Amino acid sequence: MDKLIKTKEFDIIIIGGGATGLGCAVDAASRGYKTLLLEKSDFSKGTSSRSTKLVHGGVRYLAQGNIHLVREALLERGRLLRNAPHICHSSRFIVPAYNWWQKWFYGFGLWFYELLSGSLSLGKTRLLSYKQVLNYLPEIALKNLSGGVLYFDGQFDDSRLSINLAQTAIEKGAVVLNYCGVTDFLKNGSSIAGVKAKDETNGNEFSIAAKVVINATGVFADTLLQLAEGHKDQTISPSQGIHVVVEKHFFKGSVGMMIPKTDDGRVLFAIPWHNKVLIGTTDTPVSEISPEPKPLKEEVDFILKHFNRYSTSEIRYQDIKSVFAGLRPLAKLDGETKTSVMPRDHVIKVLPSGLVHVTGGKWTTYRSMAESAVNKAVRSAGLTFFGCQTKNLKICGFADNQVNTSLSVYGSDALHIQKLIDGDDSLKEKIHPLFSYTKAEVEWIIENEMALTVEDILARRTRLLFLDAKAAMEAAPLVARMLALQTGKDEGWEIKQVKSFSLLVGNYLIRNPH
Ligand SMILES: Cc1cc2nc3c(=O)[nH]c(=O)nc-3n(C[C@H](O)[C@H](O)[C@H](O)COP(=O)(O)OP(=O)(O)OC[C@H]3O[C@@H](n4cnc5c(N)ncnc54)[C@H](O)[C@@H]3O)c2cc1C
């Protein structure tokens, strides 16, 4: 805030602290531009904490013939795994086949997928026998199983990467604020000359001048676009995707499974994630855009039906530990209502007001989207052009050759957390008996990761809410106490935090609808 107040004019203001906005902030700051990022809620509160956690080219887009998108994403996959190895890693996936034709068909497709990644290939695609599939996936449905295909893709922790991107942008000189939303634009005639913003923690409002503004607010982008342009055009078709999380014993082994064709013609993944299994996703057109989208019963049914079709260990409603929904900011196609066929490419436009509007895309391609968006912003504002620096930029937390422990997701910061534990026995204590998260992590997060609420800590710094909603609720009072003590808040604030978190948890719990 101090730095913001002291800066007379920024070169670039970025609105939105999801994958796209944070990518733009890292890109702009590392080129040397005076950069400000404003996020209304917490970093990755929107879609960017609710993905399938894949760093991938998108096998499905290959089937749709979108080779350009797949090739670009595979290139970016390689870069991300190289620049953030502490948070992104290579994983094996199996596509089960129920006749010889499927096996060769998927085998060929996935071989081509690997070929497209060129020297950034993560490993060789190969055909598997019936017995080999069974070794990898002990719970696979056996009737008519003829074998399968093994291929490699990337996996990551989305909201942890967001925090590392915010840290990287700050390290490169950007001002990066969460809980600070843009409410309006400053204008010079019809051209945008900055933004009006509100500090959501105390209601203070202020105006900030900038040479150019980037709108990276995902599914919320149309609200700002309409404010900037003074019309009611809609550019986004939101599509909801949900995931359910269950215990590991429903899907043993360390590989993921891709179900190649669901009843609505898409793919479905079951992926080991933080010692649980993440299953998803769906593609449901929605009209309401909310920061907390709600999973629909038919979406949960859809996921259970497809998973149970491929597995001998049946999942029921009561087995679900957490369920979460996210909204895809798909670029609208005139006359098209089916969101599953809408392109996943990103769209970047410079609008008549000068606002740079960026939507669509994927987490995997956040870096290349940011590069293009900043290029456009710099040119449209007539700023001196400096080239992109992010292709080989190590992301904060970078640590290769790391030993795999529960602290690995913190990358190089794991050392500092370990020091806290070594220096104070009480910080070894877990925040929930069933999970490895310790008080030391919470203390570190509060001091170093800009977490302001219980939700920030339990949903996006640790992933407890996404892994087990009931456990997250049980951990909330302790986390609220630590947060209040460390930030000097009173008991009333602490009680309010627990209350509002409990309300939120309701969205992630399955209340048996049968
Ligand atoms: C179900 C699902 C699964 C997915 N799986 C994958 C996957 O496995 N791999 C992959 O690569 N991609 C995946 N994606 C795509 C990827 O998650 C998205 O493309 C990406 O997260 C979009 O990021 P964003 O920054 O554009 O939007 P968001 O993450 O939604 O960020 C926008 C931000 O803007 C903020 N904001 C809104 N209004 C304002 C304002 N007035 N002022 C300031 N801030 C504001 C919001 O609070 C929000 O944090 C998936 C998407 C979905 C929905």
Side-chain angles (χ1 to χ4, degrees):
M1 263 305 174
D2 280 350
K3 212 170 155 188
L4 181 143
I5 290 159
K6 281 180 197 144
T7 308
K8 237 177 98 199
E9 186 186 38
F10 284 89
D11 292 325
I12 304 181
I13 291 180
I14 297 142
I15 316 174
T20 311
L22 288 164
C24 289
V26 172
D27 187 295
S30 59
R31 295 191 202 200
Y33 296 114
K34 254 190 255 169
T35 305
L36 168 68
L37 179 141
L38 297 170
E39 163 56 51
K40 184 180 184 162
S41 176
D42 186 26
F43 305 120
S44 74
K45 161 75 182 177
T47 309
S48 299
S49 58
R50 301 156 188 274
S51 78
T52 312
K53 332 295 176 203
L54 293 174
V55 188
H56 64 157
V59 177
R60 190 163 86 80
Y61 315 130
L62 194 61
Q64 291 171 344
N66 199 338
I67 290 176
H68 166 76
L69 180 65
V70 177
R71 172 91 187 113
E72 184 199 3
L74 287 173
L75 200 67
E76 289 302 321
R77 179 188 75 176
R79 288 183 176 136
L80 192 48
L81 264 72
R82 201 174 51 207
N83 295 333
H86 60 293
I87 204 81
C88 307
H89 59 89
S90 154
S91 272
R92 287 171 298 179
F93 292 82
I94 288 177
V95 183
Y98 286 86
N99 59 49
W100 68 268
W101 160 247
Q102 278 184 355
K103 185 161 146 179
W104 285 96
F105 178 73
Y106 297 131
F108 178 75
L110 288 162
W111 167 79
F112 186 55
Y113 182 71
E114 185 208 323
L115 195 75
L116 284 177
S117 60
S119 62
L120 294 170
S121 160
L122 301 179
K124 287 255 164 281
T125 297
R126 58 191 167 91
L127 298 184
L128 299 179
S129 66
Y130 167 95
K131 251 192 166 163
Q132 286 170 314
V133 172
L134 204 57
N135 275 341
Y136 280 116
L137 304 174
E139 281 81 29
I140 190 80
L142 296 176
K143 198 171 167 211
N144 299 330
L145 181 73
S146 76
V149 185
L150 180 134
Y151 76 100
F152 290 78
D153 233 330
Q155 212 189 332
F156 77 131
D157 185 323
D158 47 13
S159 66
R160 290 288 328 161
L161 181 58
S162 302
I163 302 307
N164 290 151
L165 288 175
Q167 292 168 329
T168 311
I170 292 166
E171 200 177 82
K172 293 288 169 193
V175 177
V176 175
L177 293 173
N178 54 356
Y179 293 101
C180 201
V182 168
T183 52
D184 206 346
F185 292 99
L186 304 178
K187 292 220 174 148
N188 193 349
S190 59
S191 302
I192 285 178
V195 300
K196 289 185 182 167
K198 183 172 157 200
D199 182 338
E200 304 288 340
T201 63
N202 57 20
N204 288 346
E205 292 182 322
F206 39 93
S207 298
I208 316 151
K211 298 204 173 87
V212 62
V213 178
I214 299 179
N215 178 16
T217 50
V219 280
F220 304 94
D222 279 345
T223 311
L224 286 154
L225 179 142
Q226 290 161 3
L227 260 182
E229 301 299 309
H231 58 57
K232 292 266 168 229
D233 284 4
Q234 302 269 342
T235 64
I236 289 167
S237 279
S239 145
Q240 176 158 300
I242 74 148
H243 294 86
V244 304
V245 175
V246 296
E247 292 292 4
K248 190 82 184 69
H249 66 79
F250 286 104
F251 188 76
K252 297 186 200 103
S254 58
V255 300
M257 172 170 73
M258 181 179 86
I259 294 174
K261 198 159 187 193
T262 54
D263 292 348
D264 63 352
R266 298 176 314 100
V267 300
L268 191 90
F269 288 94
I271 309 171
W273 189 60
H274 292 311
N275 230 11
K276 300 266 187 251
V277 183
L278 177 75
I279 311 171
T281 180
T282 52
D283 198 329
T284 315
V286 288
S287 48
E288 196 198 333
I289 295 177
S290 154
E292 269 303 326
K294 302 204 177 27
L296 304 173
K297 179 182 179 303
E298 52 267 34
E299 291 181 288
V300 177
D301 289 341
F302 177 91
I303 288 184
L304 297 194
K305 180 175 89 180
H306 282 88
F307 179 85
N308 290 340
R309 202 183 275 171
Y310 282 80
S311 173
T312 52
S313 59
E314 191 190 351
I315 300 174
R316 295 156 304 158
Y317 264 85
Q318 54 267 40
D319 300 316
I320 296 173
K321 294 285 163 190
S322 182
V323 52
F324 58 91
L327 299 178
R328 295 177 189 84
L330 300 183
K332 201 175 180 129
L333 273 188
D334 285 341
E336 184 57 72
T337 52
K338 209 172 163 203
T339 49
S340 60
V341 301
M342 286 181 187
R344 263 58 179 171
D345 280 334
H346 61 260
V347 174
I348 304 171
K349 284 185 196 156
V350 182
L351 302 171
S353 63
L355 181 70
V356 179
H357 178 71
V358 43
T359 54
K362 308 193 310 159
W363 239 120
T364 309
T365 52
Y366 84 92
R367 194 212 62 80
S368 61
M369 275 168 78
E371 179 180 348
S372 311
V374 173
N375 281 348
K376 277 220 162 113
V378 166
R379 291 204 168 104
S380 77
L383 296 171
T384 309
F385 189 87
F386 303 110
C388 174
Q389 302 291 316
T390 56
K391 282 191 180 118
N392 299 309
L393 182 73
K394 291 189 170 77
I395 290 166
C396 265
F398 175 93
D400 49 4
N401 300 324
Q402 211 181 7
V403 185
N404 195 9
T405 69
S406 61
L407 297 181
S408 305
V409 287
Y410 298 93
S412 51
D413 286 340
L415 279 175
H416 303 298
I417 300 173
Q418 191 55 51
K419 265 191 199 154
L420 284 178
I421 295 174
D422 295 342
D424 180 348
D425 255 3
S426 72
L427 293 178
K428 262 190 208 143
E429 205 182 298
K430 291 178 177 183
I431 60 168
H432 191 279
L434 300 178
F435 288 83
S436 61
Y437 298 122
T438 57
K439 282 167 113 179
E441 283 167 72
V442 175
E443 188 165 306
W444 173 263
I445 286 166
I446 298 168
E447 287 291 326
N448 298 284
E449 296 190 347
M450 293 173 80
L452 298 186
T453 68
V454 168
E455 182 196 335
D456 298 347
I457 297 171
L458 291 176
R460 291 173 293 275
R461 306 304 188 281
T462 71
R463 305 311 306 267
L464 197 50
L465 178 62
F466 286 76
L467 294 169
D468 188 331
K470 185 167 162 279
M473 202 156 80
E474 288 159 1
L478 171 63
V479 171
R481 165 59 48 91
M482 290 183 73
L483 197 49
L485 281 177
Q486 259 173 272
T487 58
K489 299 283 194 317
D490 62 19
E491 210 186 323
W493 180 89
E494 199 182 311
I495 292 166
K496 260 199 198 152
Q497 276 290 306
V498 176
K499 233 184 182 170
S500 70
F501 185 69
S502 305
L503 277 177
L504 175 88
V505 167
N507 293 338
Y508 295 73
L509 284 171
I510 285 281
R511 300 220 164 82
N512 195 350
H514 293 306

